[in-house]
Amino acid sequence: MGAGLDLWTKSYAFAHYYSPELALQGFPQTPHWWVDGIFGLQTSHNPGALFGLGAGYSWVFATISIGALIGITCWMFVWRAGCDRWLTVALGLVSGGIIGNLYDRIGWGYIQGFPEAVRDNVRDWILFRLEGVPFFDPWPNFNIADSLLVVGAILLFLHALCSQVPESAEPSPNS
């Protein structure tokens, strides 16, 4: 469901608010504010991963994404993480985020008429800014998949902090 929401919102944002002419000329896309100067929509392309790191290596990130999806599937069904509702939700969110950005990285999000250079870039559209606040002025554009990844990672971290290791059924040798 998360990947579907991500792909639908990307398709909508880029169909209605993306200007290939601006992109070809190297200009940023026009922002459309919902909350004036704080929150809005501005389409952009990310050629890398987190904050644009690793630009031009979409194939590497796509390969890592496929490996992560295989690992999550094994974790859920082979190592039985699916028995834990918290882990199931967290891994579902992470998987949705991976799938949403993987779709773009393998070029399926490309639309005819866009610059060829953005074929395997992740499409971002959420614009957030807190004027005068370091790191948030502006925050790099992101998408629903990025949000799913962050929330899922936070849930995994909290689960690791709060989960208790079950005591073994066997008595310790010192008993």
Side-chain angles (χ1 to χ4, degrees):
M1 184 158 89
L5 179 63
D6 173 67
L7 295 174
W8 180 80
T9 56
K10 286 177 185 174
S11 293
Y12 182 86
F14 277 78
H16 293 88
Y17 298 98
Y18 183 76
S19 168
E21 295 80 25
L22 284 175
L24 286 169
Q25 296 172 7
F27 294 116
Q29 299 292 310
T30 306
H32 302 276
W33 295 105
W34 295 328
V35 177
D36 197 34
I38 297 174
F39 185 69
L41 180 151
Q42 181 185 35
T43 56
S44 65
H45 291 276
N46 184 348
L50 187 66
F51 303 115
L53 296 173
Y57 291 96
S58 288
W59 65 273
V60 171
F61 297 117
T63 304
I64 292 169
S65 296
I66 291 168
L69 286 171
I70 292 168
I72 288 170
T73 302
C74 288
W75 193 3
M76 289 290 295
F77 300 107
V78 176
W79 295 296
R80 316 264 303 140
C83 295
D84 183 325
R85 185 171 299 170
W86 188 286
L87 275 179
T88 301
V89 170
L91 294 174
L93 291 170
V94 170
S95 295
I98 290 171
I99 292 167
N101 284 340
L102 177 62
Y103 184 91
D104 288 339
R105 285 196 174 105
I106 60 178
W108 290 350
Y110 179 77
I111 297 173
Q112 211 62 29
F114 284 17
E116 184 63 31
V118 301
R119 178 176 290 277
D120 58 0
N121 290 189
V122 172
R123 297 171 293 167
D124 291 326
W125 62 271
I126 301 171
L127 177 61
F128 179 69
R129 175 183 185 173
L130 292 175
E131 192 172 342
V133 178
F135 304 112
F136 291 97
D137 188 14
W139 185 257
N141 291 14
F142 59 102
N143 57 45
I144 300 290
D146 298 336
S147 301
L148 294 172
L149 287 165
V150 169
V151 171
I154 290 169
L155 289 176
L156 286 172
F157 177 75
L158 292 173
H159 184 273
L161 285 179
C162 299
S163 66
Q164 296 181 4
V165 178
E167 293 185 30
S168 99
E170 298 179 26
S172 66
N174 297 337
S175 311

